[in-house]
């Protein structure tokens, strides 16, 4: 059964929107950062809008975390200091 072979050099692009300038963006994994914390409030992804330069931070639920980590986005795991 024939299958589709993806080129390892094909870039993964993620769709996002800037809340400041309303730009619709396609960002590479290198343009995004993911922080995984102990709660929903401390789990988020961030990027700098290439259109207006705004720092954008958005919440990341389980599905978003799965997609971003699978797509090669750099991840920071936040640990509790308690």
């Amino acid at each position: 059964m024939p299958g589709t072979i993806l080129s390892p050099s094909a870039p993964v692009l993620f769709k996002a929107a800037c809340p400041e300038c309303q730009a619709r963006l396609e960002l590479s994994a290198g343009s995004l950062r993911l922080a995984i914390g102990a709660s929903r409030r401390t789990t988020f992804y961030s990027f700098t809008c290439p259109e207006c330069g705004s720092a954008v931070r958005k919440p990341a639920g389980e599905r978003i975390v799965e997609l971003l980590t699978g797509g090669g986005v750099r991840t920071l795991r936040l640990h509790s200091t308690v």
Side-chain angles (χ1 to χ4, degrees):
M1 180 176 228
T4 303
I5 298 174
L6 296 176
S7 168
S9 62
V12 176
L13 295 176
F14 299 94
K15 292 185 180 196
C18 176
E20 290 296 317
C21 71
Q22 310 305 314
R24 298 268 178 219
L25 309 166
E26 286 191 348
L27 301 169
S28 68
S31 300
L32 296 157
R33 300 291 176 272
L34 174 63
I36 300 175
S39 70
R40 295 181 82 181
R41 200 182 80 217
T42 58
T43 300
F44 60 91
Y45 67 97
S46 62
F47 61 91
T48 300
C49 177
E51 299 292 321
C52 70
S54 292
V56 178
R57 177 176 160 163
K58 294 189 173 189
E62 287 181 34
R63 181 71 179 134
I64 299 285
V65 168
E66 184 180 307
L67 290 170
L68 294 179
T69 55
V73 172
R74 277 186 255 167
T75 303
L76 173 65
R77 295 199 180 269
L78 306 174
H79 297 284
S80 173
T81 57
V82 177

